[in-house]
Structure formats: C-alpha cells, structure tokens
Amino acid sequence: MTDASSPDAPASDLDAQGAFSGTREVDARYRLDEAALDAWMTEHVAGYAGPLTVRQFKGGQSNPTYELTTPTAAYVLRRKPPGVLLPSAHAVDREYQVISALAAQGFPVARPHALCLDEGVIGSIFYVMDKVEGRIFWDLKLPGLTPPERRAIYEAQTDTLARLHAFDPVAIGLGDYGKAGNYFARQVGRWTKQYRASEIEPVAAMDRLIAFLPDSLPPEGPSRIVHGDFRLDNMILAPDPAEVRAVLDWELSTLGDPMADFSYLLIAWAIPASLRNGLAGADLEALGIPSVEETVERYAAATGMRPANLDWLYAYNLFRLAAICQGIAGRVRDGTAASAHAKTMAAQVGPLSDAAWGFAKKAGA
C-alpha cells in the first residue's frame, strides 16, 4: 500500500515490488494502543470480533497505514501521524468522506467502516476500511506480464480515471468537498507554501517555478473530483483479469480541474525508463503499453476532455512532486517520516524541480 505523498522514483536497481509490498512489524514511533483499538473496533465496526493482530504496511510516506487482522476478517487502518505537521496535510477525515461517497456509487474503493475523530484512542484521528485483496504493481514496466496483459491493465487504469471524472460532485454529495474555481492557482499557492514550510536549503529551479507558474496558468476546466495521486501503484487489481478493485490513498483529493489528474498520470511517459515509475525511452510497442497519444484518445473518448498544454501541466505536476518530496525531507528532519525510504524521496527535490523547469521552458518560461 502506498500513500498520497509518495512519488517513489528510486533507482531502477531497487526491487520495488519487494521493498514496498506487504507488511512489517509496526515502527516504534507509530505503535498503537491495541487494547484501546480493539475496544473501539468492537463498538464501531459492524461484525468485528477479535483477537486483533496489527502490522504496518511497508509502502507510504505520509499517513501510517496498518493491516488489522482477526480470525475472520482483515481491515486497513489509516491514521494521521503524530507530531508537528504541515497545515492541511494528512487529512484522513477527508479521505473517509470521499471514499464513503464513491463507495455509495459503486466506484472501486475499499469499503469504509468508521472514522474516529477522538485522538485519545490511538494518539491521532484515523479510519478503518476493508482490506481489498489483489495485485499492486510497483514497476510501470509490469515485468513478468505479457504485452496483452500490460495493455489491458493500462486501459483499465485510464477507464477508471475517466469514470471518476464523470461524476458530478454535487450529485453524489461532494459539492462542498473543495472550493470552486481557480484550481491551478490555488494548487500552485498551496504547494509553494508547503515547500517553503519545509525548505531546508535554497533550490534555484523551485524558486524559478514559483515565479513562473502563477503567471502562466491554463484556462479553467470543469470542477470534478480529482484524486491527486492517481497512478498504477495506488490501485489494487483483481488477481487475474485487468479489473481495478480499489483506488487507494485519497489524501490529496479535492474538487478541481480533471486535467491535473490526467496529466499527472501521463508524466510517467516523460520520466526516464531507467526509473521504475518512468516509461520515457522504453519500447512501449514491444511491452504492449499504450502510448501517450493512445491514452489521451481513450480518455477523451470517454470524457470529451483532453489536455491543451502538456508541457505546462508536466511542469506543474513535477513542481508539485518536488514540493511533496521537500515535505518528506522536512519530516525526515523532524522525525515524523513514515517510511524507511523517506530519505531517498527527500533527495529527489533537485532532480524533480530541474525536470519541471525544463518543461516550463518548453511552455514559454
């Protein structure tokens, strides 16, 4: 399981599937009062019956995520981390709100059970949802699969995002889930503030992007539910068919321009194939992976929308990832980072911001 603040682009020699899959013993910093949790589950989760076994998922940087198992069921707990946190970050209550609304529409999310706003139970707010069984793919080249299998998975990914962007937020009870209008302006402002709050040393490319992006915003698109971190390793697929069973990690979700989500998905094609989450330079035809153009056409056929200025959108998304990585660097400094790979993520601020500035120049900077 991953979370919303983990762009995860370490070197290609990392065994990502082994490094991020599965669970481990709970980190000492994030241990839970299991007796208090058991009592809370008994009262608030229908059908729950202990005894309870708790382990922590390996993947993820932002919200510590736990596997809860009993003799008859398995659950996942997402909590706000303890300690000093950035403003508006780690909003697990918002995650619970959006997956509850989407589950009611039959959209593939883990079924939510209950939200706990009482920090006294385990030390921070949290929610519990079903554990969804299936496959999580950490390497975008999908090693070990056949070309037709890869294509089917990529098409299912695109179709799932198109389905999300088809919802009218007001019609499904999420009309107040975010502010209306000026999405990219607000996002650039938000990530600039988050970056500055975690800044350790000056990064020239970030300073240039902070000056350029607000003065070059794209035209406003329709307001839709945006996931904020929509990518392959934030999805659970069925064990055999290319069926998305659950989209995970909704921490960055809000109402906004769907092109932000779609272009974020597309930056994988702009990241070097030497990285596990990059496809640039890969033999896509031999792999069976659709091209950017094919992906755009499939999404456009389903939604009627297509990106107008991918260079600007790539610059924005890479800037945003750099700001997220800077936030991880700040949590490493403050001792609140949730993943053993957090230092690797923090080191990506420079390369990501340089890449973002390269696209910004193509977009007219």
Side-chain angles (χ1 to χ4, degrees):
M1 174 152 318
T2 67
D3 73 33
S5 297
S6 52
D8 293 341
S12 60
D13 58 358
L14 173 70
D15 175 12
Q17 202 69 29
F20 299 115
S21 296
T23 62
R24 57 182 169 87
E25 293 293 327
V26 177
D27 188 309
R29 295 170 297 170
Y30 304 117
R31 284 180 184 153
L32 311 174
D33 182 336
E34 294 186 17
L37 177 59
D38 177 79
W40 183 88
M41 296 272 289
T42 299
E43 182 176 354
H44 294 93
V45 177
Y48 170 79
L52 179 66
T53 300
V54 180
R55 289 181 62 82
Q56 189 173 352
F57 284 97
K58 292 180 184 177
Q61 310 291 343
S62 182
N63 291 329
T65 306
Y66 305 79
E67 177 189 59
L68 312 180
T69 55
T70 71
T72 59
Y75 309 90
V76 170
L77 182 150
R78 291 265 286 175
R79 70 177 295 194
K80 192 171 186 175
V84 178
L85 304 173
L86 292 173
S88 78
H90 314 284
V92 297
D93 50 338
R94 283 178 56 80
E95 287 189 37
Y96 183 80
Q97 179 186 359
V98 72
I99 67 171
S100 297
L102 290 170
Q105 300 303 313
F107 186 82
V109 291
R111 181 167 65 102
H113 286 285
L115 170 69
C116 179
L117 298 175
D118 180 0
E119 295 185 357
V121 178
I122 63 168
S124 60
I125 68 171
F126 66 93
Y127 71 93
V128 172
M129 57 186 165
D130 275 347
K131 182 185 178 188
V132 178
E133 298 296 338
R135 301 174 293 170
I136 297 179
F137 294 103
W138 297 91
D139 187 329
L140 289 185
K141 273 78 77 180
L142 300 177
L145 300 187
T146 66
E149 287 172 333
R150 293 189 186 103
R151 177 169 287 273
I153 287 170
Y154 271 81
E155 290 178 347
Q157 176 183 237
T158 301
D159 293 347
T160 301
L161 185 59
R163 183 180 173 192
L164 175 67
H165 291 164
F167 287 118
D168 175 354
V170 175
I172 66 170
L174 291 174
D176 62 350
Y177 192 63
K179 295 179 181 177
N182 301 315
Y183 176 75
F184 282 112
R186 289 186 287 105
Q187 286 292 301
V188 170
R190 173 189 178 182
W191 292 110
T192 297
K193 290 177 183 177
Q194 298 281 47
Y195 170 75
R196 294 299 191 201
S198 301
E199 190 174 14
I200 297 172
E201 58 186 14
V203 178
M206 289 297 282
D207 290 336
R208 290 194 291 265
L209 288 159
I210 287 168
F212 167 71
L213 291 172
D215 291 334
S216 56
L217 299 169
E220 189 74 24
S223 182
R224 295 289 186 269
I225 302 157
V226 294
H227 178 276
D229 197 19
F230 194 90
R231 58 180 197 230
L232 191 59
D233 58 14
N234 271 341
M235 281 175 258
I236 298 175
L237 281 92
D240 184 26
E243 172 195 345
V244 177
R245 284 190 168 178
V247 178
L248 308 174
D249 302 339
W250 293 83
E251 184 193 349
L252 296 178
S253 61
T254 187
L255 301 186
D257 193 322
M259 285 303 103
D261 256 0
F262 185 51
S263 61
Y264 177 80
L265 180 67
L266 293 178
I267 60 170
W269 280 260
I271 294 172
S274 58
L275 302 178
R276 71 164 185 88
N277 67 350
L279 296 173
D283 189 341
L284 299 181
E285 185 174 356
L287 289 169
I289 295 174
S291 65
V292 168
E293 293 76 18
E294 288 176 297
T295 304
V296 168
E297 289 307 315
R298 188 176 186 91
Y299 176 86
T303 65
M305 298 181 287
R306 63 178 66 239
N309 186 346
L310 271 179
D311 288 328
W312 190 95
L313 291 166
Y314 285 165
Y316 158 77
N317 276 297
L318 290 166
F319 162 76
R320 179 173 166 270
L321 286 180
I324 288 170
C325 285
Q326 188 63 54
I328 294 169
R331 293 199 296 278
V332 171
R333 175 195 61 200
D334 298 336
T336 59
S339 169
H341 302 281
K343 290 184 179 179
T344 301
M345 305 312 307
Q348 293 184 49
V349 177
L352 285 168
S353 60
D354 287 343
W357 182 243
F359 282 111
K361 288 190 288 185
K362 292 181 182 180

Coordinates of all heavy atoms in Angstrom, one line a residue, residues 222-255:
P222 N -13.6 22.2 -16.0 CA -14.8 21.9 -15.2 C -14.3 21.4 -13.8 O -13.2 20.9 -13.6 CB -15.5 20.8 -15.9 CG -14.4 20.1 -16.7 CD -13.5 21.2 -17.1
S223 N -15.2 21.6 -12.8 CA -14.9 21.1 -11.5 C -15.3 19.7 -11.3 O -16.5 19.4 -11.5 CB -15.6 22.0 -10.4 OG -15.3 21.6 -9.1
R224 N -14.4 18.8 -11.0 CA -14.6 17.4 -10.9 C -13.9 16.9 -9.6 O -13.1 17.6 -9.0 CB -14.2 16.6 -12.1 CG -15.0 16.9 -13.4 CD -16.4 16.3 -13.3 NE -17.1 16.5 -14.5 CZ -17.8 17.5 -14.8 NH1 -18.0 18.5 -14.0 NH2 -18.5 17.6 -16.0
I225 N -14.1 15.7 -9.2 CA -13.4 15.0 -8.1 C -12.0 14.7 -8.7 O -11.9 13.9 -9.7 CB -14.1 13.8 -7.6 CG1 -15.5 14.1 -7.1 CG2 -13.2 13.1 -6.5 CD1 -16.4 12.9 -7.1
V226 N -11.0 15.2 -8.1 CA -9.6 14.9 -8.6 C -9.0 14.1 -7.4 O -9.1 14.4 -6.2 CB -8.8 16.1 -8.9 CG1 -9.3 16.7 -10.2 CG2 -8.7 17.1 -7.8
H227 N -8.3 13.0 -7.8 CA -7.7 12.1 -6.8 C -6.4 12.7 -6.2 O -6.2 12.6 -5.0 CB -7.4 10.7 -7.5 CG -6.7 9.8 -6.6 ND1 -5.3 9.8 -6.4 CD2 -7.2 8.7 -5.8 CE1 -5.0 8.8 -5.5 NE2 -6.1 8.1 -5.2
G228 N -5.6 13.3 -7.1 CA -4.4 14.0 -6.6 C -3.2 13.2 -6.6 O -2.1 13.7 -6.6
D229 N -3.3 11.8 -6.7 CA -2.1 11.0 -6.8 C -2.5 9.7 -7.6 O -2.1 8.6 -7.2 CB -1.7 10.6 -5.4 CG -0.3 10.1 -5.3 OD1 0.5 10.3 -6.2 OD2 0.1 9.4 -4.3
F230 N -3.2 9.9 -8.7 CA -3.7 8.7 -9.4 C -2.6 8.1 -10.3 O -2.1 8.7 -11.2 CB -4.8 9.2 -10.3 CG -5.7 8.0 -10.9 CD1 -6.8 7.6 -10.2 CD2 -5.3 7.4 -12.1 CE1 -7.5 6.5 -10.7 CE2 -6.0 6.4 -12.6 CZ -7.1 5.9 -11.9
R231 N -2.2 6.9 -9.9 CA -1.1 6.2 -10.6 C -1.3 4.7 -10.3 O -2.1 4.3 -9.4 CB 0.2 6.6 -10.1 CG 0.4 6.5 -8.6 CD 1.8 7.0 -8.2 NE 2.1 6.4 -6.9 CZ 2.5 7.1 -5.9 NH1 2.8 8.4 -6.0 NH2 2.8 6.6 -4.7
L232 N -0.6 3.9 -11.1 CA -0.8 2.4 -11.0 C -0.6 1.8 -9.6 O -1.4 1.0 -9.2 CB 0.1 1.8 -12.0 CG -0.1 0.3 -12.3 CD1 -1.6 0.1 -12.9 CD2 0.9 -0.3 -13.3
D233 N 0.4 2.3 -8.9 CA 0.7 1.6 -7.6 C -0.2 2.2 -6.5 O -0.1 1.8 -5.3 CB 2.1 1.7 -7.2 CG 2.7 3.1 -7.1 OD1 1.9 4.1 -7.1 OD2 3.9 3.3 -7.0
N234 N -1.2 3.0 -6.9 CA -2.3 3.4 -5.9 C -3.6 2.7 -6.3 O -4.7 3.2 -6.0 CB -2.5 4.9 -5.9 CG -1.6 5.5 -4.9 OD1 -1.1 4.9 -3.9 ND2 -1.4 6.8 -5.0
M235 N -3.5 1.5 -7.0 CA -4.6 0.7 -7.3 C -4.4 -0.7 -7.0 O -3.3 -1.2 -7.1 CB -4.9 0.8 -8.8 CG -5.6 2.1 -9.2 SD -5.8 2.3 -11.0 CE -4.5 3.4 -11.3
I236 N -5.5 -1.4 -6.6 CA -5.4 -2.8 -6.4 C -6.2 -3.5 -7.5 O -7.4 -3.1 -7.8 CB -6.1 -3.2 -5.0 CG1 -5.2 -2.7 -3.9 CG2 -6.1 -4.8 -4.9 CD1 -5.8 -2.9 -2.5
L237 N -5.6 -4.4 -8.3 CA -6.3 -5.1 -9.4 C -6.6 -6.5 -9.0 O -6.0 -7.1 -8.1 CB -5.4 -5.1 -10.6 CG -5.4 -3.8 -11.4 CD1 -4.3 -2.9 -10.9 CD2 -5.3 -4.0 -12.9
A238 N -7.6 -7.0 -9.6 CA -8.0 -8.4 -9.3 C -6.9 -9.3 -9.6 O -6.0 -9.0 -10.4 CB -9.2 -8.7 -10.2
P239 N -6.9 -10.5 -9.0 CA -5.8 -11.5 -9.1 C -5.5 -11.9 -10.6 O -4.4 -12.2 -10.9 CB -6.2 -12.7 -8.3 CG -7.1 -12.1 -7.3 CD -7.9 -11.0 -8.0
D240 N -6.5 -11.9 -11.4 CA -6.3 -12.4 -12.8 C -6.7 -11.3 -13.8 O -5.9 -10.8 -14.5 CB -7.0 -13.7 -13.0 CG -6.8 -14.3 -14.4 OD1 -5.7 -14.0 -15.0 OD2 -7.6 -15.0 -14.9
P241 N -8.0 -11.0 -13.9 CA -8.3 -10.0 -15.0 C -7.8 -8.6 -14.7 O -7.5 -8.3 -13.6 CB -9.9 -10.1 -15.0 CG -10.2 -10.4 -13.6 CD -9.2 -11.4 -13.1
A242 N -7.8 -7.8 -15.7 CA -7.4 -6.4 -15.5 C -8.6 -5.6 -15.0 O -9.1 -4.7 -15.7 CB -6.9 -5.8 -16.9
E243 N -9.0 -5.9 -13.8 CA -10.1 -5.2 -13.2 C -9.6 -4.4 -12.0 O -9.0 -5.0 -11.1 CB -11.2 -6.2 -12.8 CG -12.3 -5.6 -11.9 CD -13.1 -6.7 -11.3 OE1 -13.0 -7.9 -11.6 OE2 -13.9 -6.4 -10.3
V244 N -9.9 -3.1 -11.9 CA -9.5 -2.3 -10.8 C -10.5 -2.6 -9.6 O -11.7 -2.2 -9.8 CB -9.4 -0.8 -11.1 CG1 -9.1 0.0 -9.9 CG2 -8.4 -0.6 -12.2
R245 N -10.0 -3.1 -8.6 CA -10.9 -3.4 -7.4 C -10.9 -2.3 -6.4 O -11.9 -2.1 -5.7 CB -10.4 -4.7 -6.7 CG -10.7 -6.0 -7.4 CD -10.4 -7.1 -6.5 NE -11.0 -8.4 -7.1 CZ -10.8 -9.6 -6.5 NH1 -10.1 -9.7 -5.4 NH2 -11.4 -10.6 -7.1
A246 N -9.9 -1.5 -6.3 CA -9.9 -0.4 -5.4 C -8.8 0.7 -5.8 O -7.7 0.3 -6.1 CB -9.6 -0.8 -3.9
V247 N -9.2 1.9 -5.7 CA -8.2 3.0 -5.8 C -7.9 3.5 -4.4 O -8.9 3.7 -3.6 CB -8.8 4.2 -6.7 CG1 -7.9 5.3 -6.7 CG2 -9.2 3.7 -8.1
L248 N -6.7 3.6 -4.1 CA -6.2 3.8 -2.8 C -5.7 5.3 -2.6 O -5.5 6.0 -3.6 CB -5.0 2.9 -2.4 CG -5.2 1.4 -2.6 CD1 -3.9 0.7 -2.4 CD2 -6.4 0.9 -1.7
D249 N -5.5 5.7 -1.3 CA -4.8 6.9 -1.0 C -5.3 8.2 -1.5 O -4.8 8.8 -2.4 CB -3.3 6.7 -1.4 CG -2.7 5.5 -0.7 OD1 -3.2 5.0 0.3 OD2 -1.7 5.0 -1.2
W250 N -6.4 8.6 -0.9 CA -7.2 9.8 -1.4 C -6.8 11.0 -0.6 O -7.6 12.0 -0.6 CB -8.7 9.5 -1.2 CG -9.1 8.4 -2.1 CD1 -9.1 7.1 -2.0 CD2 -9.7 8.6 -3.4 NE1 -9.6 6.4 -3.0 CE2 -10.0 7.3 -4.0 CE3 -10.1 9.7 -4.2 CZ2 -10.6 7.1 -5.2 CZ3 -10.7 9.6 -5.4 CH2 -10.9 8.3 -5.9
E251 N -5.7 11.1 0.1 CA -5.3 12.2 0.9 C -5.3 13.5 0.2 O -5.7 14.6 0.7 CB -4.0 12.0 1.6 CG -3.6 13.1 2.6 CD -2.2 13.1 3.0 OE1 -1.5 12.1 2.7 OE2 -1.7 14.1 3.6
L252 N -4.9 13.5 -1.1 CA -4.7 14.8 -1.8 C -6.0 15.1 -2.7 O -6.0 16.0 -3.5 CB -3.5 14.7 -2.7 CG -2.2 14.6 -2.0 CD1 -1.0 14.6 -2.9 CD2 -2.0 15.8 -1.0
S253 N -7.0 14.3 -2.5 CA -8.2 14.5 -3.3 C -8.9 15.8 -3.0 O -8.9 16.3 -1.8 CB -9.2 13.3 -3.2 OG -9.6 13.2 -1.9
T254 N -9.6 16.4 -4.0 CA -10.4 17.6 -3.7 C -11.3 17.8 -5.0 O -11.4 16.9 -5.8 CB -9.5 18.8 -3.5 OG1 -10.2 19.9 -3.2 CG2 -8.6 19.1 -4.8
L255 N -11.9 18.9 -5.1 CA -12.6 19.3 -6.3 C -11.6 20.2 -7.1 O -11.0 21.1 -6.6 CB -13.9 20.1 -6.0 CG -14.9 19.3 -5.2 CD1 -16.2 20.2 -5.1 CD2 -15.2 18.0 -5.7

